[in-house]
Amino acid sequence: MGYTLWGEPDSGSFMVEAALAEAGQDVHLIDIDLTKDEQHTAQYLAINPLGKIPALRFNDGTTIVQSAAILLALSEEHPEARLMPAQDAPDRRHALRWLIHVAAEIYPLIELYDYPLRFAPPETHETAMRSRVRQRIRERWQFVEQAASAEGSFLLSGFSAIDLAIAAISNWAIGNEWRARECPKLTRIAETVAQRPAIAPIWRRHFGEQEN
């Protein structure tokens, strides 16, 4: 059947599309226009009742959602792509920790930043709430930056699916100038991902040209 990916440019579907490219897999892309609320159509809700992207249909017809789960499933489906360390590799536990950390501690804050009034009363000061959420996002990125800066850090030991998550999410809500100044290690990870031969055209489609 081949892979089918529901997503949108400049969204979390980048991670999945990039992972498939690294694995040398073709994929049929279906763009879901969030500005037109297409994620809440009956057709898409039948795929993901939460109305979120991405969603990936595998070659056997199975469809799963949640970016981290998809990346882990692809790493098992295509071990030759080395999206995650092998099951018996010493770095496996570290890789799982950081993939879930980014997915659980940082990724959800992006929705809160983009749509603050989904989570607060109408009288909430939207700009002030976004400012507070951005501050929390930056605090959590600095925690990852500190881990990446530690001697022998797994985060700088080579390419993995965690790099895809770091590269994509660090483009949102954080601010490129702040990231370059305060998180040079994570900035370098994003730059390296954007320049990988299989990923570069996908990066440009999602985020435009890489900014230093």
Side-chain angles (χ1 to χ4, degrees):
M1 294 178 63
Y3 287 99
T4 298
L5 174 62
W6 289 265
E8 184 186 47
D10 195 16
S11 77
S13 63
F14 162 79
M15 307 175 216
V16 179
E17 191 178 346
L20 287 166
E22 284 289 326
Q25 300 298 306
D26 293 330
V27 59
H28 174 54
L29 301 175
I30 300 178
D31 281 345
I32 302 295
D33 191 339
L34 303 186
T35 66
K36 296 181 180 177
D37 206 35
E38 290 181 354
Q39 73 274 30
H40 292 127
T41 62
Q43 183 179 13
Y44 187 68
L45 289 175
I47 296 165
N48 183 0
L50 292 177
K52 294 185 176 183
I53 55 174
L56 182 69
R57 185 170 63 206
F58 283 70
N59 295 323
D60 63 1
T62 302
T63 299
I64 65 170
V65 299
Q66 302 293 348
S67 298
I70 295 171
L71 291 174
L72 286 171
L74 287 175
S75 75
E76 295 173 357
E77 189 93 351
H78 301 286
E80 72 284 355
R82 299 183 179 180
L83 297 170
M84 293 287 285
Q87 292 283 351
D88 58 351
D91 282 338
R92 176 75 178 185
R93 292 172 183 172
H94 295 295
L96 291 172
R97 180 264 174 98
W98 287 112
L99 180 61
I100 300 307
H101 175 84
V102 173
E105 297 291 339
I106 300 174
Y107 200 176
L109 291 176
I110 303 301
E111 183 182 10
L112 186 58
Y113 179 87
D114 287 342
Y115 307 102
L117 296 185
R118 287 182 182 175
F119 305 92
E123 63 270 18
T124 301
H125 193 291
E126 192 170 341
T127 301
M129 187 169 177
R130 276 204 174 99
S131 177
R132 184 67 187 97
V133 173
R134 171 176 274 190
Q135 181 182 346
R136 182 58 58 88
I137 293 172
R138 287 177 171 180
E139 289 171 358
R140 294 185 180 183
W141 272 121
Q142 285 178 315
F143 176 74
V144 181
E145 173 72 15
Q146 291 168 5
S149 301
E151 184 176 354
S153 171
F154 162 77
L155 292 171
L156 292 178
S157 65
F159 172 77
S160 73
I162 296 92
D163 293 14
L164 299 177
I166 287 173
I169 298 173
S170 65
N171 274 276
W172 306 323
I174 299 169
N176 287 338
E177 290 184 7
W178 181 89
R179 185 191 67 183
R181 182 177 68 251
E182 302 293 336
C183 299
K185 295 289 194 303
L186 301 186
T187 296
R188 182 58 189 154
I189 287 174
E191 291 171 348
T192 301
V193 166
Q195 294 163 6
R196 291 179 70 85
I199 295 176
I202 298 169
W203 181 276
R204 288 192 294 271
R205 190 172 75 84
H206 280 262
F207 306 117
E209 294 296 332
Q210 172 69 25
E211 296 182 12
N212 295 324

